[in-house]
Amino acid sequence: MQTLPATHPDDFPVLDTDGLRDRFLVDGLFATGEVGWAYAHDDRLLLGGVDLTGEPLTLEAPPELAAEHLCDRRELAVVCLDGSVSVETDGQTHELDAFDVLYVSRGTGSVRLTGTARVYLVAAPAHADHPTAVGRRDEVFGADLGEQEQANVRTVRRYVHADGIASANLVLGITTLAPGSVWNTMPCHTHPRRTEVYLYTGLGDGRVVHLAGPPTQTRSVVVADGQAVVSPGWSVHTGVGTRAYSFVWAMAGENQDYADMDVVDLGSLR
Ligand SMILES: O=C(O)C(=O)C[C@H](O)C(=O)CO
């Protein structure tokens, strides 16, 4: 399992390309038939991915958690990126199509996936139980943002958040850029009270030049389809693609208020 220990912001500007990628880029999540895990020490976010080809798969807690079941102390989001997947949680079945999300309650004993799909997993420590619930792509709250002139026309869909699917800690959504738009999250922001992870999808062979770091000392990380970038509370998270794409954004920390962010003035970005 890839482990990403926390980094002090003063150490960020001195990292070279490989150092930045080692510390913040998550790669290798989507193996066929088995879950690839990554464990960010920032807010203890656990990320997983699997390429399902029809064989059922039961999710196990990675040994690093020292837990009997994945959800013993954690809540989980199961995100269907493409295809369709059937998720059985303690005997209850939930059908997901592309960009549907299943929130799985802390305390759930067994989680089993069956289907032909790429599935992304995000699990955060939880101090309370909330009901297992499905958020459907076409039913959750979606905000249409951006302008054609700024190449950032996009729909930001919110699934798990203060006014949506209830959770103890997790906040999660999916942003989709319109054809011809390439910029996400500009003007950008930081979340001093949360860690955020962007998982890029729908990029094909393209790339996103993702900007990270303190607002006055940003660096770029070139990201491919199926890779993710961890943004600690002091880091901006924004990027420009070689084509339109989607990304799953997931956060954990002090609260679940989507609007709790510090917007960075474009003129102060360095
Ligand atoms: O394109 C955007 O703007 C976003 O998707 C922003 C994310 O929702 C985000 O960063 C939430 O904190």
Side-chain angles (χ1 to χ4, degrees):
M1 173 157 87
Q2 183 183 357
T3 302
L4 300 102
T7 297
H8 191 286
D10 290 351
D11 294 341
F12 183 87
V14 297
L15 292 169
D16 66 8
T17 304
D18 289 339
L20 282 170
R21 295 178 80 82
D22 280 352
R23 301 267 187 112
F24 300 99
L25 183 74
V26 176
D27 191 16
L29 290 180
F30 295 96
T32 303
E34 65 177 290
V35 180
W37 291 112
Y39 189 26
H41 286 179
D42 288 289
D43 283 304
R44 295 277 158 187
L45 276 165
L46 179 73
L47 315 168
V50 60
D51 196 356
L52 290 173
T53 54
E55 290 299 307
L57 179 76
T58 298
L59 298 185
E60 310 284 356
E64 287 81 353
L65 296 190
E68 188 180 350
H69 306 105
L70 180 58
C71 293
D72 279 353
R73 299 184 297 266
R74 286 178 173 263
E75 55 194 356
L76 168 71
V78 179
V79 183
C80 180
L81 296 179
D82 53 38
S84 54
V85 60
S86 174
V87 188
E88 202 181 297
T89 57
D90 287 343
Q92 251 201 313
T93 303
H94 318 269
E95 305 293 345
L96 305 183
D97 293 317
F99 287 12
D100 291 341
V101 173
L102 177 69
Y103 169 84
V104 181
S105 174
R106 179 186 74 161
T108 301
S110 112
V111 183
R112 193 164 186 260
L113 312 177
T114 314
T116 303
R118 257 189 349 153
V119 176
Y120 178 50
L121 307 165
V122 183
H127 60 276
D129 299 347
H130 291 277
T132 294
V134 177
R136 303 250 170 240
R137 177 191 182 279
D138 296 327
E139 292 170 9
V140 298
F141 173 80
D144 293 325
L145 304 179
E147 292 170 35
Q148 187 77 60
E149 291 72 20
Q150 297 182 6
N152 67 349
V153 177
R154 61 202 193 279
T155 303
V156 180
R157 292 190 174 83
R158 302 182 202 165
Y159 295 73
V160 182
H161 62 112
D163 301 315
I165 295 175
S167 69
N169 192 12
L170 199 62
V171 182
L172 185 138
I174 304 176
T175 297
T176 300
L177 276 74
S181 280
V182 285
W183 273 102
N184 76 67
T185 326
M186 187 55 82
C188 61
H189 57 263
T190 58
H191 294 286
R193 284 161 288 282
R194 293 197 286 249
T195 300
E196 180 154 15
V197 179
Y198 276 15
L199 180 277
Y200 288 99
T201 184
L203 251 181
D205 293 336
R207 295 290 184 273
V208 169
V209 179
H210 179 101
L211 290 186
T216 56
Q217 290 184 302
T218 68
R219 301 286 185 272
S220 62
V221 182
V222 177
V223 184
D225 192 89
Q227 294 181 327
V229 183
V230 175
S231 301
W234 45 261
S235 177
V236 297
H237 37 277
T238 177
V240 59
T242 57
R243 49 158 292 167
Y245 52 90
S246 295
F247 61 99
V248 181
W249 42 269
M251 299 183 260
E254 287 291 333
N255 62 41
Q256 293 115 312
D257 176 7
Y258 178 83
D260 182 13
M261 56 180 79
D262 288 1
V263 176
V264 177
D265 173 56
L266 192 55
S268 68
L269 208 54
R270 295 285 183 272

